[in-house]
DNA sequence: TCTGACCTGCGA
DNA sequence: TCGCAGGTCAGA
């Protein structure tokens, strides 16, 4: 599921509702999604701690909780949902947080591809590339990364070790906006095209955040609403529709086993 | 660099 | 019943 815009949307809403509150209870369901700590340890260490900060790096969400840093990766189907009624207890809940005001927050993950970590210091994510909305993601750096790469441009955009935060939907949309064919080798991208692509990455992600993310199947905001960005997509899931820009047909192919949508006519 | 496995639910 | 889904990683 969630790519950078969805994680950012969730982080903003969590801040709005829970920042500054003390966690009074943490219930966990033992599952392989706990990576570097035991579920019961996660639960025990977070009780009676205040949620002091929430931020994001790529698709990772980092909480700051009185000297501890729980980190969440939402995988394909992870979401955070507020409990709206006391009787509301959805399926596939792996963590349930209760706060000092008796409000509850659930971490739900149907497919269990999500990951939960617990650190004593804020992780530096040295394995990941730059976050595309951060200051250190500059055009100069982006061009360098492109030149060093031996893969196709779509795989390049989705490789978290190169750029952290772009997944399949936004890789498709970014390449469409920049007018670049997804089969092109990353190295073949010319300086002018690199600039267009760089701007497209930021534009597509920022627009998606302003639309609260893209709901294609499972994704919902913390408040339980669908995102709205699916109404603004140009190619993703638009197979056989006509390209808004040139009237060409949008086609679907597989690249690295991931559905890829593009306009053969205007994406060169 | 690429493929398959990890999971579950949904729609064709 | 089968294929597919927004991600990631080990192993070939």
């Amino acid at each position: 599921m969630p790519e950078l815009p969805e994680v950012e949307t969730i982080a903003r809403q969590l801040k709005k509702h829970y920042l500054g509150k003390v966690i009074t209870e943490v219930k966990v369901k033992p599952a392989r999604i706990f990576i570097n700590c035991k579920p019961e340890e996660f639960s025990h260490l977070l009780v009676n701690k205040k949620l002091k900060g929430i931020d994001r790096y790529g698709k990772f969400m980092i909480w700051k909780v009185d000297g501890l840093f729980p980190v969440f990766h939402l995988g394909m189907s992870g979401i955070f949902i507020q409990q709206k009624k006391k009787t509301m207890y959805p399926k596939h809940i792996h963590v349930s947080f209760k706060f000092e005001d008796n409000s509850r927050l659930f971490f739900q993950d149907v497919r269990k591809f999500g990951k939960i970590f617990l650190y004593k210091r804020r992780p530096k994510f040295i394995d990941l590339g730059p976050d595309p909305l951060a200051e250190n993601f500059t055009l100069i750096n982006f061009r360098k990364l492109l030149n060093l790469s031996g893969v196709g441009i779509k795989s390049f955009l989705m490789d978290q070790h190169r750029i952290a935060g772009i997944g399949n939907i936004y890789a498709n949309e970014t390449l469409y906006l920049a007018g670049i064919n997804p089969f092109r080798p990353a190295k073949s991208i010319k300086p002018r095209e690199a600039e267009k692509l760089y701007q497209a990455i930021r534009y597509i992600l920022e627009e998606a955040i302003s639309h609260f993310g893209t709901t294609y199947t499972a994704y919902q905001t913390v408040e339980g609403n669908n995102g709205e960005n699916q109404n603004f997509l140009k190619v993703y899931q638009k197979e056989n529709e006509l390209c808004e820009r040139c009237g060409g047909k949008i086609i679907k192919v597989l690249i690295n086993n991931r559905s890829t949508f593009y306009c053969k006519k205007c994406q060169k």
Side-chain angles (χ1 to χ4, degrees), chain A residues 190-227:
Chain A
K190 298 190 172 64
R192 263 314 263 287
E193 293 176 311
E195 190 173 348
K196 255 183 140 174
L197 187 55
Y198 171 79
Q199 285 165 354
I201 290 170
R202 292 203 166 205
Y203 179 81
I204 289 288
L205 295 176
E206 277 166 3
E207 280 294 291
I209 291 169
S210 76
H211 298 137
F212 310 105
T214 302
T215 298
Y216 173 60
T217 54
Y219 164 71
Q220 285 194 326
T221 67
V222 176
E223 292 163 0
N225 301 314
N226 285 346

Side-chain angles (χ1 to χ4, degrees), chain A residues 204-267:
Chain A
I204 289 288
L205 295 176
E206 277 166 3
E207 280 294 291
I209 291 169
S210 76
H211 298 137
F212 310 105
T214 302
T215 298
Y216 173 60
T217 54
Y219 164 71
Q220 285 194 326
T221 67
V222 176
E223 292 163 0
N225 301 314
N226 285 346
E228 293 169 9
N229 197 60
Q230 60 280 10
N231 303 317
F232 299 88
L233 299 175
K234 305 294 184 194
V235 285
Y236 183 77
Q237 295 294 346
K238 303 282 182 190
E239 188 182 14
N240 292 328
E241 292 187 26
L242 297 182
C243 166
E244 271 184 18
R245 193 161 50 199
C246 73
K249 201 191 249 186
I250 310 291
I251 59 168
K252 178 182 174 183
V253 293
L254 284 182
I255 295 181
N256 283 351
N257 268 334
R258 307 302 298 273
S259 299
T260 303
F261 300 84
Y262 73 106
C263 172
K264 218 172 177 177
K265 198 170 159 192
C266 67
Q267 287 182 251

Side-chain angles (χ1 to χ4, degrees), chain A residues 167-181:
Chain A
N168 199 29
I169 294 181
Y170 300 112
N172 279 290
E173 293 295 315
T174 297
L175 288 168
Y176 173 79
L177 182 60
I180 293 172
N181 186 302

Side-chain angles (χ1 to χ4, degrees), chain A residues 61 84 157 212:
Chain A
M61 182 163 43
K84 294 223 166 138
L157 291 175
F212 310 105

Side-chain angles (χ1 to χ4, degrees), chain A residues 105-147:
Chain A
L105 174 70
F106 301 124
F107 175 73
Q108 181 193 51
D109 186 3
V110 172
R111 292 174 70 181
K112 298 180 198 153
F113 290 166
K115 292 186 173 79
I116 296 177
F117 307 83
L118 188 62
Y119 294 103
K120 290 186 178 163
R121 289 183 188 167
R122 190 187 188 284
K124 292 190 172 156
F125 301 104
I126 47 171
D127 291 346
L128 299 183
D131 183 291
L133 298 184
E135 278 180 12
N136 66 343
F137 183 65
T138 62
L139 177 57
I140 294 169
N141 289 344
F142 180 58
R143 281 188 180 141
K144 277 186 200 159
L145 288 170
L146 282 171
N147 288 333

